[in-house]
Amino acid sequence: MFFVILALALTSVLTPTTGSAQTTAFKQAIAEDAARDRDIAAFYQENAYEGIWTGKSSRDRQRRVALMDALKQAGNHGLPVARYDVAGLEQRLNTARTARDLGELEVEMSRVFLQYARDIQTGALVPSRVDKLIVREVPYRDRKSYLVNLAKSSSKGFFKALPPRTNEYNALMKQKLVLERLLSKGGWGPMVQAKKLEPGDSGPAVVALRDRLVRMGYLKRNAGKTYDNAMTDAVMQFQADHGLAQDGVTGAGTLKEVNTSVQERLQSVIVAMERERWVNKDRGKRHVEVNLTDFTAKIIDNGKVTFSTRSVIGARDTKRQSPEFSDQMEFMVVNPSWFVPRSIATGEYLPELQQNPNAVNHLIITDRSGRRIDRASVDFSKYTVRTFPYAMRQPPSRSNALGLVKFMFPNKYNIYLHDTPAKNLFGRETRAYSHGCIRLADPFDFAYALLAPQTSDPEGFFQRTLATGKETQVNLEKPVPVHIIYRTAFADGKGRIQYRRDVYGRDARIWTALSEAGVALRAVQG
């Protein structure tokens, strides 16, 4: 009802009275106020300083109503509502009287609109300012184009199209509402006070676990007091949804996730929505997605996962964490050499060589011209991290650090996907051990899937190439986009929300930044 009254009121209140003096004053106010923003100034200059918000036409009224409605709903998207000062804008809408008032209001509405449009479409934060390893190129749109396109479009349709239009974003929004309702009802109940619970146990801790699983939707409401088969099945499903080993036992790791509060899960969802806005673009009909927190690499075709394998990611140490970015996979190298990164050569291997020149003898040491040097002729003790003049390379072999195949999307971060001889790491629940690159548990199957579109016998082709023992580059006829992401909350193929641990602490930093920008948790009734 408010918007109906407002629209009617603005017909008479927000239209400059006819006459050249008032029109000139209106346009002069726009020109002066818009001068502080280059994009807004350019738009109004090209539009002959005509308004798009404060006129009496039905399209102007529709734009006003659509903007105010969108701003009032911004909290649904986890945006910093206070940034838009909705109450202040409403007051100005109701009190504007002179032509100058209207001109200044016109520009202010454009400013607020541009802030909202960018926030909801490509994020309220600049990711690299939150964490220097989020090196993603956000697909920002030209600011003036928002105003140009709004002026030419249906207001309702334009605002509806601004948020990410992905199944992932919709699933996260639904989960946000579910969690907000739970928050209003007190969450999931008392925490489970125990060190370990397993099938056959009984007592108050089992009852507390039962109640939390019921409220989380993993268990039907019941009066059972024993850790029975139904509870075991519920725990296993919970473990699956949280990336835990599915043994049906509520050990320390499972208890920590069970006792995580609704507030923390809501924060994860809101952060995931912000992250989804950072990649609000076409990701490719076929693309590779590496979710660092899930320790997986997937091939996605037309929105469906067609291949998935476990992965090992960069260690938690700041210098070894895997960065987040997108690129294009162009080729794979079968039987690759490993060219040791300088940071590893000088930081890890040089000290060993200084103790024993024959150390790390699986590596070939070369000079700047690529010529192999005689270790016995070099006094490694005289070199430092800065002055070490040599390079190191491990030739192709089954014991090569990269295994038998690597997948290349050339980038300045020197990150790629590859095989590894250290297969034992894939059996662990948390797999953050590499120097930054992504190791794959099933690299051959990954290669077959990538080669399938360009050969009728991908496995045979790959194995024949592998059998030569020679380092061979195999180009992908059609490059495949690669997206290295970081999601502690995400939807599975059925829209069910999964949660993962914040392995690098990045989501905690993002939530802090969002909170400082004005995003707040809220409890929603009904």
Side-chain angles (χ1 to χ4, degrees):
M1 179 60 71
F2 167 79
F3 289 116
V4 174
I5 296 171
L6 178 64
L8 291 173
L10 291 176
T11 301
S12 58
V13 175
L14 294 182
T15 305
T17 55
T18 57
S20 59
Q22 288 83 0
T23 301
T24 300
F26 175 73
K27 292 186 175 184
Q28 183 66 31
I30 290 178
E32 291 175 0
D33 217 36
R36 292 179 292 163
D37 187 305
R38 181 178 60 185
D39 296 313
I40 294 177
F43 169 74
Y44 281 108
Q45 184 178 25
E46 293 172 8
N47 206 43
Y49 298 102
E50 297 288 346
I52 62 170
W53 304 104
T54 57
K56 65 179 180 180
S57 72
S58 60
R59 296 193 69 179
D60 281 20
R61 290 197 299 272
Q62 289 167 5
R63 290 189 198 106
R64 290 193 295 269
V65 171
L67 174 61
M68 296 305 294
D69 186 55
L71 296 179
K72 285 181 175 290
Q73 299 300 318
N76 292 345
H77 295 270
L79 293 176
V81 178
R83 178 180 285 184
Y84 316 120
D85 189 17
V86 179
L89 198 58
E90 281 183 344
Q91 183 177 11
R92 292 184 66 174
L93 282 165
N94 290 323
T95 59
R97 290 294 181 269
T98 68
R100 174 159 289 278
D101 289 344
L102 295 174
E104 292 174 352
L105 176 59
E106 174 74 30
V107 174
E108 180 61 20
M109 293 186 76
S110 288
R111 282 201 186 98
V112 173
F113 162 70
L114 289 181
Q115 181 69 69
Y116 169 81
R118 173 158 287 189
D119 288 354
I120 199 167
Q121 191 164 67
T122 48
L125 303 176
V126 177
S128 60
R129 293 178 185 172
V130 181
D131 191 296
K132 64 181 181 180
L133 287 176
I134 309 177
V135 289
R136 181 165 307 289
E137 294 183 4
V138 180
Y140 293 119
R141 278 64 162 181
D142 175 70
R143 291 175 75 243
K144 189 181 74 172
S145 70
Y146 284 120
L147 289 164
V148 172
N149 292 330
L150 174 66
K152 298 188 298 186
S153 308
S154 157
S155 301
K156 186 176 181 180
F158 184 89
F159 278 91
K160 185 178 180 180
L162 282 176
R165 305 181 74 178
T166 62
N167 292 334
E168 178 76 9
Y169 193 78
N170 291 337
L172 290 168
M173 277 199 72
K174 290 179 182 177
Q175 183 71 356
K176 179 176 177 290
L177 181 58
V178 168
L179 294 174
E180 287 171 339
R181 287 172 176 166
L182 278 166
L183 189 59
S184 72
K185 297 177 181 178
W188 288 313
M191 295 174 65
V192 181
Q193 303 295 333
K195 291 184 178 180
K196 182 179 181 180
L197 296 172
E198 55 190 345
D201 286 350
S202 60
V206 171
V207 172
L209 175 61
R210 177 202 69 192
D211 291 346
R212 283 184 81 87
L213 290 172
V214 167
R215 299 201 73 172
M216 290 175 179
Y218 289 98
L219 195 61
K220 291 182 179 179
R221 189 172 297 279
N222 67 89
K225 298 181 180 180
T226 303
Y227 202 128
D228 56 12
N229 289 338
M231 183 175 287
T232 302
D233 291 342
V235 168
M236 290 180 69
Q237 182 60 60
F238 177 90
Q239 290 169 330
D241 287 348
H242 293 75
L244 305 169
Q246 298 168 49
D247 58 7
V249 175
T250 308
T254 300
L255 274 167
K256 184 176 180 180
E257 299 304 310
V258 166
N259 283 331
T260 298
S261 67
V262 169
Q263 290 93 328
E264 289 177 83
R265 294 304 187 203
L266 184 53
Q267 289 173 13
S268 293
V269 169
I270 291 172
V271 168
M273 292 172 68
E274 174 73 358
R275 285 181 168 281
E276 186 72 3
R277 291 189 283 264
W278 294 345
V279 289
N280 187 12
K281 62 180 180 180
D282 182 10
R283 284 165 228 185
K285 290 184 178 179
R286 159 168 272 213
H287 63 270
V288 173
E289 179 182 279
V290 178
N291 186 358
L292 298 175
T293 67
D294 191 36
F295 307 106
T296 57
K298 300 175 181 177
I299 296 177
I300 298 175
D301 290 290
N302 297 312
K304 294 184 178 180
V305 176
T306 55
F307 178 84
S308 180
T309 183
R310 288 166 293 165
S311 69
V312 169
I313 68 171
R316 288 186 173 92
D317 180 274
T318 304
K319 295 180 179 179
R320 298 172 64 185
Q321 292 181 12
S322 300
E324 302 169 47
F325 65 101
S326 296
D327 214 305
Q328 294 273 337
M329 185 180 292
E330 299 173 6
F331 61 91
M332 65 183 74
V333 178
V334 184
N335 298 310
S337 293
W338 179 44
F339 294 89
V340 183
R342 183 169 178 81
S343 61
I344 300 176
T346 58
E348 297 184 23
Y349 296 150
L350 176 57
E352 294 185 44
L353 291 168
Q354 290 171 335
Q355 294 294 320
N356 176 11
N358 293 315
V360 293
N361 58 14
H362 62 291
L363 300 175
I364 296 172
I365 303 178
T366 60
D367 62 18
R368 288 188 175 92
S369 299
R371 293 173 298 196
R372 186 168 184 166
I373 68 164
D374 179 6
R375 292 168 178 246
S377 66
V378 178
D379 180 6
F380 291 104
S381 65
K382 70 179 183 180
Y383 296 117
T384 66
V385 169
R386 186 176 60 84
T387 62
F388 187 66
Y390 303 116
M392 295 182 179
R393 175 176 64 87
Q394 184 182 17
S397 70
R398 289 191 175 275
S399 61
N400 187 285
L402 304 183
L404 295 171
V405 61
K406 66 178 180 178
F407 305 90
M408 301 299 294
F409 37 105
N411 57 81
K412 61 184 178 182
Y413 316 110
N414 198 29
I415 298 296
Y416 44 89
L417 278 59
H418 65 88
D419 183 18
T420 176
K423 303 295 186 182
N424 61 305
L425 296 177
F426 294 106
R428 302 188 183 186
E429 190 174 83
T430 299
R431 299 185 290 274
Y433 299 104
S434 82
H435 283 84
C437 286
I438 312 300
R439 305 175 190 175
L440 304 181
D442 304 294
F444 290 5
D445 292 330
F446 187 71
Y448 305 156
L450 288 171
L451 292 170
Q454 63 191 63
T455 176
S456 59
D457 182 18
E459 183 174 352
F461 172 84
F462 180 87
Q463 288 296 333
R464 287 191 296 272
T465 306
L466 182 66
T468 67
K470 297 179 180 179
E471 187 165 1
T472 306
Q473 178 172 316
V474 178
N475 293 330
L476 297 180
E477 292 179 358
K478 186 176 181 180
V480 178
V482 177
H483 305 289
I484 300 179
I485 66 172
Y486 186 106
R487 299 289 177 84
T488 60
F490 61 93
D492 64 14
K494 298 180 180 179
R496 186 185 185 97
I497 298 300
Q498 307 273 302
Y499 293 102
R500 297 295 184 267
R501 295 164 179 165
D502 190 6
V503 62
Y504 293 152
R506 290 181 190 168
D507 274 17
R509 288 189 283 278
I510 293 172
W511 171 253
T512 296
L514 285 171
S515 181
E516 289 174 350
V519 176
L521 301 183
R522 60 182 193 176
V524 175
Q525 299 286 339

